[in-house]
Amino acid sequence: MDVFTLIAFVSTCFLIFLKASTAIDSISPSEPLPDGKTLISNDRSFELGFFSPGSSGNRYLGIWYKNIPVCTVVWVANRVNPINDSSGMLIVTATGDLQLLSQNITVVWSANSTKAAQNPILRLLNSGNLVLIDGRNGNSEASLWQSFDYPSDTLLPEMKLGWNLRTGLNRRLSAWKNSDDPSPGDFTCEIELQGNPEWVLRKGSKKYFRYGPWNGISFSGVPILSPENQIFSYEFVSNEEEVYYMFSLKNKSLLSRIVLNQTDYAIQRYTWSEETRTWKLWLYLPDEYCDKYGLCSAYGNCDSTQLPACQCFKGFKPKSPDGWSSGDWSQGCVRNKPLNCQAADGFIQFGRLKLPDATHSWVNKIMSLEECRDKCLQNCSCMAYTSEDIRGRGSGCAIWFGDLVDIRQFQSGGQDLFIRMSASELGSKRNETKLKLALLIAIPLAALLAMLILFYYFCQSRGSSEERIEEKKENDIKNEGQDEDMELPVFQVATISHATDNFSLSNKLGQGGFGPVYKGKLVDGQEIAVKRLSLSSTQGVNEFKNEVKLIAKLQHRNLVRLLGCCIEGEEKMLIYEYMPNRSLDSFIFDQIRGKELDWSKRFGIICGIARGLLYLHQDSRLRVIHRDLKASNVLLDDEMNSKISDFGMAKTFAGDQTEGSTNKYAIDGLFSIKSDVFSFGVLLLEIISGIRNRGFFHPKHSLNLIGHAWKLWKEGNPLELAAESLGECFTLSEVVRCIHISLLCLQQNPEDRPPM
């Protein structure tokens, strides 16, 4: 049975039901939508009602096209909770919540409005968007809830695929399991947030296909998506508020949709043909062998016009020649000549490419291409760069760190990429044709130059030579003294590179504000964590040394122990003890891992953080203000003991110096222990609730986490803040006391906040 026959079969099931139904144009609290009645848009383009897909007897609430014979569902409400009879009823509550009921009792699906409404009305717009509005003003644009924010497997015109960064809402697609079951399958599509956001398809947890980063005109990996097509236009928006893709139809009378197909593991665009009365397939991705994610692995370039398809870039060779020749490209390519960051590395330009996976990338929208090149050269882990926006003469900067993967070659379209090469590789290529001419000129010149040099040194006094030698000795002694001033071991770059397997991505633990952190193992077997300052860090060598000296003096069981540092060329690294359980945020904000932290463990973590801050503020030789206390900067050892880390923003003042006497504190309060106290209060709420403060807005009253906690405390319901993962086994007095302390720490006036 082909796909169109299957669609026709499904549509027959719908039409039998639809002919017997009656339609309305809105739903209010006084008029529910029972099974057998439908809600239609004003121009009768779309219809909402109950349906049974294919041969299934289950009932679902969904939206489909109204006036075409092939009944095509574009949205389903109760995807994971079907109704097994015809008792379904959709109601709008007086406060503006949607509820889908079975047997008039059981709630199988619900949706909460963003705020209370005095006269809530549910309408189906001509776009296919189901919206809940406040009927007081009748403004359908000011929706309290909309189905476009919670797509199923279909993207319609004017629907956003991507993120609302203010609320944390992620609009993503997930395919139906099959034609009889609209529940989410394992094939998903979403915009991934990273240095350079891009559109990614996943099969389970693994990447399956990338569109490539946005270049101002299109996605570099899909040049077929020309903005000059006659059907649709599209835009990609990435700013501090939102990151999303959206398309619009150029001819409003046309019908077009994007759908995710679990059976074929493909994303497809269909347009409706009035002539044939069928859906025509306009685009199918991935559609080529080279579209498979990471087929040629690191530094491999997939070219569908070549045999074999995988080719190593110029300057690279197969890591496993035997495997490569037999069609096993999993180990990718390696350089012919290794990079030497201290020497003059350069770049080779490659054209018409799908840009590499942008997971480990960085973007600056105002840099020129020349500035971008210089920026890349300043960091030894930067492997490639290009223009962020190719419109006009090009603008902006996009750079990549670590191995370059998932690149393919196009015959037309694509984008230029500048890949880093060693100076010796560049030199051998560039000078090969000029070698003979250079020798003919160089030999006589060298002889003449040698005679001049001998004559020059003969004329120099021995005293001057001795002075230069003595000056060099003094400089050597001075440099040696700098290392001694560090007060802890100084490692070589080669040692750390070997310990981290050349800063392999597989050893990367995370990315902080000042650079990446890698796991490593020294030759004696000791495990370490290496914080490598990024090229964007504004911290200079002197500031870095001051930070190292500061941390070296801090010794406490609730502070991460610094083992050493590395300062060599542009490289600045800190070597810490390795924490096997990573950071606190990986537990408390994860619904699964959060269950590993019962209340007793969370309370122990809270006490450990408090002890660490007390030491910094009061008991250390220098009073220290951390200034960046948050869940990601609290690490956990193998026994779940908490240790404060990352002192890149820390400030100090003498033990007998009061915070109020400093100019810094007088200006803006940044140099105050009370700023750490405030951060501790926020962290307490996050540990107790399992909710991230940043980006949280309560759907009922739009308060953030702090405002929500204050509201519950004033209402006498503080325990509503406790995370479900705490279970029922916790000490009531301890939880309430911690909430009370957190609110004291969060008072607006710093003088009202208690000391640690």
Side-chain angles (χ1 to χ4, degrees), residues 39 100 113 152 191 261 283 347 458 543:
L39 178 69
L100 180 59
S113 62
S152 297
I191 302 295
N261 188 318
L283 181 67
F347 298 89
F458 179 76
E543 292 83 356

Side-chain angles (χ1 to χ4, degrees), residues 42 58 84 612 707:
N42 289 338
N58 292 328
N84 55 18

Side-chain angles (χ1 to χ4, degrees), residues 459-477:
C459 296
Q460 297 300 308
S461 65
R462 293 182 180 179
S464 298
S465 299
E466 292 174 356
E467 289 177 2
R468 287 193 297 272
I469 293 173
E470 194 64 31
E471 182 181 353
K472 183 179 183 302
K473 289 181 179 179
E474 292 177 358
N475 288 334
D476 290 342
I477 294 173

Side-chain angles (χ1 to χ4, degrees), residues 23 39 130 137 143 278 353 362 411 469 568 621 665 731 742:
L39 178 69
L130 183 67
N137 51 32
S143 61
T278 59
L353 296 179
W362 178 84
Q411 300 307 305
I469 293 173
E568 191 172 316
R621 283 184 284 175
Y665 177 70
T731 305
S742 70

